[in-house]
Amino acid sequence: MTETSLEARREILSSIREHLAESKRFDTQDVHPPTTARRTTSKSVAGDRDKPVIELFRHALEAVSGHCSIVRTIDEAAQAVQEIVAERKASGPPATAGGSDSHSRRVAVSDSALVRAILGRVKTEAAFLDSPSQAELFDCDVGITCAQWAIAETGTLVLESERERNRLASLVPPVHVAIIEASRIRRSMSEVLELIKKSDVGLSRAVTFITGPSRTSDIELTLAIGVHGPGELHVIVIDEAAPPA
Amino acid sequence: MRDQARAIKDETLAHLDRYLEQFAGNAERAGARIHWARDGREVSNIIIELLHERNAKRVVKSKSMATEEIHLNDALEEAGIETVETDLGEWIIQLAHETPSHIVVPAIHKSKKQIADLFVEKIGIEPTDDVDKLTGAARRVLRQRFAEADAGISGVNFGVAETGTILILENEGNIRLTTSLPKIHFALMGIEKVIPRFADIDVFLKLLPRSGTGQQLTTYQSLITGQKKRPEDEGPEELHIILMDNGRSRMLAHPVTRQSLACIRCGACLNACPVYQQIGGHAYGSVYPGPIGAVITPQLIGISKATQLPYASSLCGACREVCPVKIDIPALLLHLRSEIVEGSASGSVDEQGPVKRKFSEHLAFRLYAFAWSRRRLYEWSARIARLFQRAAVRQGRIGKVSGLIAKLAPPLGAWTAGRDARPIAPRTFREQWRADSEIK
Ligand code: SF4
């Protein structure tokens, strides 16, 4: 810290103390007792309480324009990924240096073992880039990551940066596919906050909460999807207990 | 939930020194660099010096009222640093060389047509009235700016003392890009943004968007704790958090003014305010418009420099009703008015002595007359009225609003005689948002 910054620190802190002391004479009742850490059980709509979390999650995700598929196995997950990738038109320049294959799609993927396992079973022409450079990333059509947690009540995905390289693959390409195991879906945000704080890899440097695709209403309050982040969000839930499709 | 949020804020403010030190200590342990700044000039100096040292010339910015408050962009420009706003609304007004008129929807005063014309002129797109096309064009141009940027500057919505985490909320994704792509990340944080515990995040994440835009949660929340640990990790190499006072600590001196520091900048009071709806964000002549602006601007810049602002209100109480942290804005306005009338009550805010009562409530009405006599502002208020007025009707405040409009009938009548009055849209802002979020 520079000399000025240290001086500023001293002055700001003492200004806070002085002004707080000054306000004491106006205080009729004393300050609120310290709030203790509490679990807020969010008021959910009647019926939500008993709804299975996976159903609740799917419902909330769809309400914010996300897509949700529930599959039973890694093979089915691979099938779902394949379909999503196949639906995309390639947008960037040719994937191969020679430029012969000008229609091949580029997919940015995180370094998670689960994503790897799934991609191993995907049959596609698309090029998978597992640590794309920034420039390559800008040309990718799809990004695939895991989500470490999900919040059922709000349809929110939670990504921890200490678990996988997920920050850019989930953000830069126009389509984000997130894979999550059903056991990692929790009902409320307060449960998830506790889990990420106490995580065995420590609190991640970057934790990202994602609720639906990127959106803006900056032009005449008209909703537009996909302004800076992905315009499409697909979540694939792997639930071994799910009934066959 | 509102009571809980306010209780957390009150507790924090009552021990702000302790929580700030705890926040700074924990953020530093996680690898962030903390800087303290007494005012806006110090903030600019810190950022400019660090940028110069690193030979950084291009900066991307995400929306931050704190940087607007201190006119950071002007300072950066003077220092030869190219600054690009990346929030769509902020970028639009930067292109147009204007200033924000709403704290959540900064370009709300511009029509789609005006924005399309601007894009045709400035970035050379084909004329269009399709919002998706306009947004797509902005995405393409801004992607380039992100790729070139040496540093990113963001604001902070909340700073968690327990872990040293900063929290930033958004819908677009530009904040994630600003805080992930460039090598250096500067986060400007007002000293009042601290919350004590990690678990407190829950209530604030839910409260802010519900009050501001009617969403359950904003699309993205970034929780950033210090710097990356391994070079191969994603994210910036440096995180600088600048803690800024700029007039905030002295607001702690009185329980009434102290409330202003609980504000989470959700924008709900603007949307509810009949005066804001009529005069528009720019008429306040300050960075923070609307009810909260009328309250904090005089306190930030000195009450003698903003004597009219506390009168730009009809004291109808709509703002107090909607505020998610239950700030009693009317009481604050009265408090500030009494300081103006009686001279400085606290001794620290008013350097020029008593200002006479003749700057009276009539000023508020003059503000109306002013607004209604200007074409641009009329269009503006029509837009706001269309978007927000039905909410006011529904909540039974229309009596107040129409009473004021009646006073202004003559100038308005003259103006509308030769033009079509705009119909009020059938859907309110909140309804619109809700409906939008249901679109599949
Ligand atoms: S004063 Fe209350 S309603 Fe207005 S912006 Fe601040 S928190 Fe929101």
Side-chain angles (χ1 to χ4, degrees):
Chain A
M1 227 185 288
T2 62
E3 209 32 62
T4 341
S5 181
L6 279 173
E7 198 186 297
R9 177 180 193 273
R10 263 195 308 276
E11 254 188 50
I12 293 170
L13 289 171
S14 64
S15 166
I16 292 171
R17 289 179 193 124
E18 273 164 36
H19 287 102
L20 278 174
E22 199 179 312
S23 85
K24 280 276 187 287
R25 65 195 160 106
F26 302 105
D27 282 347
T28 40
Q29 87 265 34
D30 205 47
V31 287
H32 295 256
T35 42
T36 43
R38 73 207 80 69
R39 296 171 76 98
T40 41
T41 37
S42 356
K43 271 183 228 102
S44 26
V45 193
D48 279 4
R49 280 271 125 231
D50 322 305
K51 236 188 190 172
V53 283
I54 300 174
E55 261 316 290
L56 194 58
F57 173 73
R58 190 175 61 83
H59 193 79
L61 177 66
E62 286 173 353
V64 291
S65 320
H67 304 276
C68 186
S69 10
I70 298 170
V71 300
R72 285 179 306 158
T73 61
I74 292 197
D75 281 317
E76 284 182 25
Q79 181 66 33
V81 168
Q82 195 167 314
E83 279 162 22
I84 295 164
V85 173
E87 272 171 30
R88 297 298 305 171
K89 280 210 302 275
S91 55
T96 49
S100 53
D101 183 11
S102 62
H103 293 294
S104 121
R105 290 166 287 265
R106 297 159 160 247
V107 181
V109 297
S110 78
D111 56 358
S112 117
L114 180 57
V115 172
R116 290 285 155 83
I118 290 171
L119 293 183
R121 296 160 204 234
V122 174
K123 293 175 220 48
T124 171
E125 303 281 282
F128 293 110
L129 301 128
D130 58 5
S131 353
S133 69
Q134 195 162 305
E136 287 172 324
L137 203 62
F138 278 97
D139 288 326
C140 282
D141 305 296
V142 179
I144 304 180
T145 70
C146 282
Q148 278 64 49
W149 306 103
I151 304 166
E153 285 176 345
T154 49
T156 303
L157 298 171
V158 180
L159 276 59
E160 294 177 294
S161 65
E162 294 302 311
R163 298 278 182 192
E164 65 174 316
R165 290 171 59 88
N166 51 24
R167 281 182 79 169
L168 296 176
S170 64
L171 171 64
V172 178
V175 178
H176 176 208
V177 181
I179 295 154
I180 183 162
E181 290 164 77
S183 61
R184 304 188 80 85
I185 303 178
R186 293 292 183 279
R187 191 170 292 270
S188 71
M189 177 176 301
S190 54
E191 286 167 77
V192 169
L193 285 172
E194 220 166 292
L195 288 163
I196 55 177
K197 195 179 98 185
K198 300 214 176 98
S199 159
D200 53 9
V201 289
L203 175 58
S204 283
R205 195 201 100 77
V207 176
T208 310
F209 287 25
I210 300 174
T211 309
S214 152
R215 57 179 60 214
T216 182
S217 291
D218 271 345
I219 300 180
E220 287 196 347
L221 297 179
T222 306
L223 181 80
I225 293 281
V227 51
H228 286 290
E232 263 181 56
L233 173 65
H234 296 266
V235 180
I236 300 172
V237 179
I238 305 181
D239 178 15
E240 282 163 16
Chain B
M1 196 148 67
R2 298 208 300 162
D3 286 323
Q4 195 188 340
R6 180 59 189 273
I8 295 170
K9 275 287 184 182
D10 282 348
E11 182 209 336
T12 318
L13 292 172
H15 307 283
L16 188 57
D17 51 335
R18 216 178 64 204
Y19 284 120
L20 264 181
E21 286 189 285
Q22 193 192 353
F23 170 81
N26 284 330
E28 268 171 346
R29 265 187 289 283
R33 268 159 269 190
I34 299 283
H35 308 267
W36 299 73
R38 279 161 287 198
D39 54 32
R41 197 182 42 80
E42 287 190 353
V43 174
S44 310
N45 289 347
I46 290 166
I47 296 179
I48 290 167
E49 204 170 294
L50 288 164
L51 287 172
H52 280 332
E53 272 170 26
R54 285 151 184 78
N55 202 19
K57 301 209 161 52
R58 279 184 276 222
V59 166
V60 281
K61 257 188 85 215
S62 56
K63 189 158 84 77
S64 144
M65 291 310 294
T67 64
E68 293 283 344
E69 173 187 324
I70 62 168
H71 306 289
L72 179 63
N73 290 11
D74 296 342
L76 291 174
E77 199 177 308
E78 260 171 48
I81 292 155
E82 188 194 313
T83 313
V84 179
E85 293 287 350
T86 59
D87 172 88
L88 180 59
E90 291 277 345
W91 185 62
I92 290 168
I93 55 180
Q94 190 186 32
L95 277 183
H97 301 289
E98 291 176 11
T99 53
S101 57
H102 189 287
I103 62 176
V104 178
V105 203
I108 197 170
H109 59 284
K110 296 194 90 65
S111 70
K112 188 165 62 183
K113 172 87 174 56
Q114 288 171 322
I115 293 167
D117 291 348
L118 186 70
F119 281 16
V120 171
E121 185 199 326
K122 302 276 179 173
I123 58 173
I125 61 161
E126 293 294 311
T128 176
D129 61 357
D130 184 300
V131 171
D132 285 324
K133 287 215 178 91
L134 292 172
T135 310
R139 176 181 170 110
R140 276 192 303 282
V141 174
L142 286 170
R143 276 292 160 106
Q144 196 53 40
R145 301 286 171 270
F146 278 116
E148 296 163 352
D150 302 306
I153 302 178
S154 76
V156 170
N157 290 102
F158 305 100
V160 182
E162 185 187 1
T163 52
T165 305
I166 54 173
L167 236 99
I168 324 175
L169 281 59
E170 60 167 330
N171 282 314
E172 295 186 3
N174 65 309
I175 297 184
R176 290 179 66 197
L177 289 163
T178 303
T179 60
S180 309
L181 286 174
K183 284 206 170 75
I184 315 165
H185 171 200
F186 294 96
L188 178 58
M189 171 171 159
I191 53 170
E192 83 283 18
K193 301 282 186 194
V194 187
I195 54 175
R197 286 159 300 266
F198 200 72
D200 296 331
I201 291 173
D202 183 36
V203 59
F204 289 102
L205 281 194
K206 289 174 182 161
L207 212 51
L208 198 148
R210 271 173 214 187
S211 319
T213 54
Q215 291 170 287
Q216 241 198 332
L217 281 181
T218 57
T219 305
Y220 302 122
Q221 282 94 28
S222 302
L223 285 68
I224 300 170
T225 312
Q227 220 155 270
K228 69 178 175 189
K229 295 180 188 141
R230 294 166 296 262
E232 69 273 20
D233 284 352
E234 295 175 301
E237 285 157 20
E238 293 176 46
L239 168 64
H240 297 270
I241 302 174
I242 302 154
L243 296 167
M244 173 176 82
D245 185 341
N246 206 33
R248 287 163 171 77
S249 58
R250 63 176 179 230
M251 295 184 205
L252 293 166
H254 193 289
V256 173
T257 55
R258 194 198 294 176
Q259 294 181 81
S260 342
L261 296 175
C263 172
I264 56 173
R265 311 274 189 266
C266 72
C269 57
L270 278 66
N271 303 347
C273 176
V275 176
Y276 175 85
Q277 286 170 24
Q278 303 303 336
I279 69 174
H282 289 136
Y284 290 82
S286 62
V287 172
Y288 296 102
I292 187 61
V295 162
I296 60 173
T297 307
Q299 300 186 78
L300 288 174
I301 67 173
I303 204 162
S304 58
K305 298 191 191 83
T307 47
Q308 291 110 317
L309 278 176
Y311 293 97
S313 164
S314 62
L315 298 177
C316 74
C319 48
R320 182 181 45 208
E321 269 168 54
V322 297
C323 177
V325 281
K326 295 193 149 180
I327 299 177
D328 191 347
I329 295 179
L332 257 159
L333 289 167
L334 289 174
H335 180 91
L336 293 172
R337 287 182 193 183
S338 75
E339 279 192 15
I340 292 169
V341 174
E342 292 155 21
S344 170
S346 71
S348 56
V349 278
D350 189 357
E351 301 92 33
Q352 288 175 15
V355 179
K356 288 279 144 36
R357 184 98 198 148
K358 63 184 174 211
F359 284 103
S360 68
E361 275 88 353
H362 293 298
L363 256 160
F365 297 111
R366 274 202 250 148
L367 280 167
Y368 286 111
F370 168 81
W372 287 94
S373 64
R374 301 256 181 124
R375 180 166 186 275
R376 211 169 68 87
L377 282 172
Y378 170 71
E379 286 188 342
W380 198 99
S381 50
R383 180 167 304 120
I384 297 295
R386 185 184 64 204
L387 295 165
F388 294 128
Q389 191 162 321
R390 291 248 320 215
V393 177
R394 200 180 44 218
Q395 286 162 36
R397 287 194 299 276
I398 194 66
K400 206 97 192 178
V401 179
S402 54
L404 295 167
I405 290 173
K407 282 186 203 290
L408 300 159
L412 175 63
W415 197 87
T416 47
R419 298 163 177 89
D420 286 335
R422 285 177 176 226
I424 290 175
R427 294 205 290 185
T428 67
F429 181 57
R430 281 169 154 265
E431 284 165 353
Q432 179 92 37
W433 267 97
R434 262 189 230 117
D436 289 344
S437 56
E438 279 157 16
I439 294 169
K440 298 279 154 36

